[in-house]
Amino acid sequence: QVQLVESGGGLVQTGGSLRLSCAASGRTFSNYTMAWFRQAPGKEREIVATISRRGGSTFYAASVKGRTTISRDNAKNTIYLRMNSLNSEGTSVYYCAAKYDESAGKSFYLRGHQYDYWGQGTQVTVSS
């Protein structure tokens, strides 16, 4: 069992920045592909970014590419999401997710149902 706890959400002005963190339990953190999803009110959950087990490969949704960075520190069992130039579309609950991955890491996993463990979410609100 893997437990995930997000932190770092809050209120930010349009154009501002936030860094979200997700702390994971367990000694096999490096065996998990990690991801950030978000879900706004009335909308379906969508991928924001994913990162491979060692952090060598990343994927970003087109809506956030260029102003968002996902990273991981396996020694600390933690992943991060740095978001710059936030706008109203960034207002959402952000979720950390983990998928046990025994593959070579050539494929990204972009759908929520593909992940095994989820955090409780952290709210991000972008004001104008």
Side-chain angles (χ1 to χ4, degrees), residues 78-89:
T78 303
I79 68 165
Y80 306 93
L81 187 72
R82 175 71 177 182
M83 299 184 289
N84 300 321
S85 301
L86 283 162
N87 55 43
S88 61
E89 294 186 356

Side-chain angles (χ1 to χ4, degrees), residues 5-123:
V5 180
E6 303 97 335
S7 63
L11 178 65
V12 63
Q13 299 264 9
T14 297
S17 300
L18 280 177
R19 189 182 75 159
L20 308 182
S21 299
C22 174
S25 66
R27 296 179 294 175
T28 59
F29 179 69
S30 62
N31 294 134
Y32 288 84
T33 292
M34 303 294 295
W36 288 97
F37 288 79
R38 67 183 181 186
Q39 186 168 22
K43 296 184 178 180
E44 295 185 351
R45 190 169 299 184
E46 64 179 359
I47 188 70
V48 178
T50 68
I51 187 165
S52 61
R53 296 186 302 168
R54 297 179 60 184
S57 298
T58 57
F59 168 87
Y60 298 94
S63 59
V64 304
K65 187 180 298 183
R67 52 190 179 91
T68 303
T69 302
I70 187 171
S71 60
R72 69 190 294 163
D73 186 341
N74 287 351
K76 297 181 178 180
N77 282 15
T78 303
I79 68 165
Y80 306 93
L81 187 72
R82 175 71 177 182
M83 299 184 289
N84 300 321
S85 301
L86 283 162
N87 55 43
S88 61
E89 294 186 356
T91 296
S92 187
V93 177
Y94 287 74
Y95 297 92
C96 178
K99 173 182 171 58
Y100 189 79
D101 190 359
E102 297 181 349
S103 72
K106 293 184 177 181
S107 299
F108 290 110
Y109 305 98
L110 308 181
R111 304 299 301 274
H113 71 265
Q114 296 176 302
Y115 287 80
D116 304 304
Y117 304 101
W118 294 84
Q120 294 295 97
T122 185
Q123 175 72 50

